[in-house]
Amino acid sequence: MTRYEPVIGLEVHAQLLTETKLFCGCSVAYGAEPNTQLCPTCLGLPGSVPRLNRRAVELAIRVGLALGCEIHRDTAFSRKHYFYPDLASNYQNSQFEPPVIGRGELCIEVDGVERRIGITRAHLEEDAAKNIHGAGGGLYTVVDYNRGGQPLLEIVSEPDLRSAEEAELYLRKLREILIFAGVNDGNLEEGSFRCDANVSIRPVGQEKFGTRVELKNINSFRFVRRAIEFEIARQEAVLASGGALVQETRTWNENVGQTISMREKESAQDYRYFESPELPRIEIDDEMIERARAQLPELPDAIRARFIEELGLTPYDAGVLTSHPGIARYFDAVASGMKADAKLGKRIANFIQSEVLRDTQIAGLDAKFPVTPEALIELLSMVEARTINLNLAKQVFHEMVASGKSAAAIVEEKGLGGGVDEAALEAEVLKVIEKNPSQVEQYRGGKAAVFGFFVGQVMRATRGQADPQLVQALLRKHLDG
Amino acid sequence: MSSLPITREQILRVAELSRIALTEEEIEQYARELTHFVDMLSVLDTIDKDGVPPTVTLTFDPIAQRDDKLEPSLPRDEALAMGPVTSDGGFAVPKILGGEG
């Protein structure tokens, strides 16, 4: 039986984080009432003049730098012609050859092995309007042009991916880079990050690609994976039964768990690209590139490496603390505020992961933390100064979240901290040893478990305020000595 | 001075791409008219263009670029008034089966 190898390439449409559309000053805010964000330009009315949004070009250059891509200095917009109600002017302002961003690559890790996936190109284009099916009493399709004209960057990969898992990893990685670069909010549900997949299979060892199917409109990572897995199996089954594949567009239907044919690719499809006569060429000089480089934030791979090397995190911790740019900035703010080394860095990371993140709310690019980095620095500094121990710090933290008060105010109010210096603690330790002669005998007789009893007694006597490590050291000094 | 005539097949191809149905008379009319257009442009063939780069756009003015600043949009009623049929706050078009383009 023939064994097949999947060949997958991905096209991602990422909405660029501008305030306004690509060629006019209409808002791009999501969720507005239909058809309230439009003007003669984005409606394609005769006589309107498109004016290019500079910011979109800047963000595109930033993506090019983030992905290590070539940046073409002199490119243009071209009209891509097709007739569909989502396109007000019957052409889309897009880019043909050359696109603003050329070749680059993106590294993913598959089962611990690094794979380099080629980026073919990325080009600027305007988004199409949104068709609302089933509206108008089901008699019509209703078109909302709010989305029409929003700036998109279409990022096209080489057909380098070999499994649904690799496709998902590539998408997650790309999304993460775009989010950290500050160019896209990565919201698959709202459609600001959309993916189409080109899937074909070929006998293992064959160089020529098989017949390609385009999977459209897949709006979650889970669906991407399932749609591609389904499609690979479907294509294998067709070939195994002696059938032939047709080049077509299919969509993922989650309800039936299958890809469904939308239309067969018209072999005669012809977009009749030609360069826009009304838009200026995009000319990019060194200064624009250097400015974009200066604005490019630190990317997640570099942040993780720094967290691991300089701040003592495990790869797992580094992953958690870079799961959102806001979390990474928060940890960074606390760590740098406390001038953390590797040991302290790890302790801060532990506290953030076990306490802070439990009460953190993430919504898109926003992260809402229960306390500010400054408030957390104050609290953790008290732990470092041994004013309070870690268990008390956790209680104080919850009090801070509940009351909004500062750590210092809570510690003072409750009479915590500051009370147990080493001499006082040693006195407590001696007192506990004196009061419990039989346990001392047991311990010295080899019953090591009794040690915990002494720790508990001392902690109780100090109302939980003593530093447990110091308690243990003092107990060992007097019990073992 | 005459270039190649626009053929019936070319007219049908363009009509198909434009989703336009044409009658026999229209096919002949367009073939005739477009042939005439091409004839007019063929004057360019008589000029020596060696070393002249194609001029695609006359828009060199940086005013064609803008900062990312909000400008007022049209009131919805005004925008929708331009559509022949509207429904649910949108432009209504014949029902689309299948997906987006």
Side-chain angles (χ1 to χ4, degrees):
Chain A
M1 200 180 128
T2 318
R3 279 180 54 239
Y4 291 100
E5 170 186 61
V7 174
I8 304 159
L10 297 174
E11 292 170 14
V12 165
H13 287 85
Q15 278 180 359
L16 296 172
L17 284 175
T18 56
E19 295 288 318
T20 64
K21 293 187 180 182
L22 189 53
F23 298 114
C24 65
C26 288
S27 168
V28 298
Y30 180 81
E33 284 291 303
N35 294 303
T36 52
Q37 294 168 171
L38 30 90
C39 72
T41 301
C42 56
L43 278 174
L45 299 186
S48 60
V49 181
R51 290 159 303 140
L52 176 61
N53 185 340
R54 265 187 209 104
R55 183 72 181 152
V57 178
E58 289 167 10
L59 294 177
I61 298 171
R62 201 191 284 184
V63 173
L65 294 172
L67 296 174
C69 291
E70 246 177 294
I71 291 166
H72 293 128
R73 303 303 186 103
D74 181 17
T75 69
F77 284 101
S78 290
R79 293 181 176 181
K80 177 184 180 180
H81 296 83
Y82 67 94
F83 292 82
Y84 210 68
D86 63 10
L87 216 50
S89 47
N90 286 345
Y91 59 81
Q92 178 187 33
N93 280 309
S94 180
Q95 293 195 280
F96 193 49
E97 293 293 345
V100 63
I101 305 297
R103 286 184 176 278
E105 63 182 19
L106 190 142
C107 291
I108 57 173
E109 203 183 290
V110 186
D111 299 326
V113 180
E114 187 183 83
R115 289 258 290 125
R116 288 166 180 271
I117 308 302
I119 307 273
T120 312
R121 58 182 279 158
H123 63 259
L124 278 166
E125 63 183 25
E126 55 182 345
D127 207 344
K130 197 174 175 125
N131 298 319
I132 306 164
H133 302 284
L139 292 170
Y140 301 107
T141 294
V142 170
V143 188
D144 171 10
Y145 284 100
N146 283 355
R147 199 179 71 184
Q150 293 196 16
L152 289 182
L153 193 68
E154 176 174 337
I155 303 163
V156 182
S157 86
E158 290 287 294
D160 287 347
L161 298 154
R162 293 290 173 268
S163 69
E165 184 196 3
E166 286 188 6
E168 183 184 346
L169 290 169
Y170 168 91
L171 283 176
R172 286 188 185 279
K173 187 74 181 280
L174 179 59
R175 176 175 174 272
E176 182 185 67
I177 290 172
L178 297 182
I179 289 175
F180 274 76
V183 301
N184 177 262
D185 66 12
N187 194 323
L188 278 75
E189 267 171 40
E190 292 178 1
S192 61
F193 182 96
R194 305 196 287 270
C195 169
D196 300 335
N198 291 311
V199 181
S200 65
I201 59 172
R202 64 183 172 189
V204 171
Q206 177 183 305
E207 205 168 310
K208 192 171 167 285
F209 293 141
T211 303
R212 177 180 81 171
V213 163
E214 185 175 6
L215 298 178
K216 270 206 171 284
N217 305 331
I218 331 174
N219 63 356
S220 86
F221 288 121
R222 197 165 62 91
F223 295 174
V224 165
R225 195 165 176 151
R226 293 184 57 186
I228 293 173
E229 273 166 2
F230 177 88
E231 190 52 31
I232 292 167
R234 187 191 70 84
Q235 293 184 12
E236 283 180 359
V238 170
L239 294 186
S241 66
L245 293 162
V246 286
Q247 191 177 340
E248 60 181 341
T249 301
R250 299 175 73 90
T251 185
W252 175 246
N253 184 319
E254 176 62 14
N255 294 331
V256 293
Q258 294 183 2
T259 62
I260 310 281
S261 181
M262 288 164 79
R263 57 175 179 236
E264 292 188 11
K265 198 89 176 178
E266 297 160 72
S267 56
Q269 181 60 283
D270 177 357
Y271 291 122
R272 289 153 292 146
Y273 281 99
F274 64 75
E275 193 174 321
S276 171
E278 60 183 357
L279 283 162
R281 296 183 69 88
I282 308 173
E283 287 170 9
I284 296 171
D285 57 21
D286 290 347
E287 194 199 328
M288 288 169 78
I289 292 178
E290 286 321 307
R291 202 166 52 226
R293 203 187 302 281
Q295 288 172 357
L296 177 66
E298 191 181 17
L299 295 173
D301 277 348
I303 299 176
R304 279 189 284 271
R306 183 165 59 79
F307 283 0
I308 291 168
E309 282 158 27
E310 294 174 21
L311 294 168
L313 269 53
T314 63
Y316 174 82
D317 294 333
V320 173
L321 292 176
T322 53
S323 58
H324 188 278
I327 296 173
R329 281 194 297 271
Y330 187 90
F331 171 67
D332 247 337
V334 177
S336 67
M338 296 181 72
K339 301 192 173 38
D341 60 5
K343 281 185 174 159
L344 177 52
K346 172 70 178 149
R347 288 199 290 273
I348 295 168
N350 287 347
F351 196 90
I352 289 177
Q353 287 180 80
S354 70
E355 308 303 316
V356 180
L357 290 187
R358 270 200 303 204
D359 294 319
T360 299
Q361 287 159 18
I362 302 284
L365 285 186
D366 296 324
K368 199 164 170 284
F369 294 96
V371 302
T372 63
E374 294 71 32
L376 189 66
I377 290 170
E378 186 187 52
L379 174 68
L380 295 183
S381 297
M382 293 169 98
V383 179
E384 291 307 310
R386 297 182 186 260
T387 309
I388 54 172
N389 65 38
L390 193 58
N391 288 332
L392 276 178
K394 290 178 181 177
Q395 290 172 32
V396 172
F397 175 78
H398 294 299
E399 187 70 26
M400 288 163 68
V401 176
S403 68
K405 290 180 187 159
S406 74
I410 293 164
V411 166
E412 193 184 325
E413 213 171 80
K414 308 225 159 192
L416 306 169
V420 201
D421 62 21
E422 193 168 335
L425 189 58
E426 191 154 22
E428 288 297 339
V429 165
L430 290 170
K431 221 186 278 174
V432 167
I433 288 173
E434 196 180 77
K435 273 200 235 161
N436 298 286
S438 64
Q439 280 84 350
V440 173
E441 205 172 302
Q442 285 174 22
Y443 177 78
R444 290 193 174 139
K447 204 170 167 195
V450 185
F451 190 71
F453 163 81
F454 289 108
V455 175
Q457 290 297 307
V458 177
M459 292 306 288
R460 187 184 300 170
T462 58
R463 293 190 303 133
Q465 296 185 60
D467 172 5
Q469 278 172 347
L470 187 57
V471 171
Q472 291 187 26
L474 290 170
L475 278 167
R476 286 197 201 289
K477 178 176 152 193
H478 292 287
L479 286 169
D480 298 351
Chain B
M1 188 168 58
S2 178
S3 58
L4 289 174
I6 299 292
T7 64
R8 178 189 167 77
E9 285 67 39
Q10 285 172 309
I11 295 293
L12 287 174
R13 173 81 180 112
V14 173
E16 184 200 353
L17 288 168
S18 310
R19 306 286 189 270
I20 297 173
L22 296 180
T23 63
E24 278 304 316
E25 291 76 41
E26 285 169 331
I27 295 171
E28 276 172 33
Q29 183 196 339
Y30 282 127
R32 213 167 42 239
E33 289 178 355
L34 290 173
T35 299
H36 184 55
F37 283 150
V38 174
D39 275 351
M40 289 195 292
L41 293 173
S42 64
V43 66
L44 294 174
D45 292 338
T46 64
I47 302 168
D48 178 13
K49 300 179 288 291
D50 281 354
V52 181
T55 302
V56 175
T57 174
L58 292 173
T59 311
F60 302 109
D61 193 337
I63 204 164
Q65 288 199 13
R66 41 176 277 276
D67 290 327
D68 187 23
K69 292 263 161 46
L70 278 177
E71 292 165 23
S73 292
L74 288 174
R76 175 154 82 176
D77 293 348
E78 208 175 297
L80 290 181
M82 290 183 267
V85 186
T86 58
S87 175
D88 298 76
F91 297 92
V93 299
K95 197 160 147 180
I96 302 169
L97 302 172
E100 294 176 34

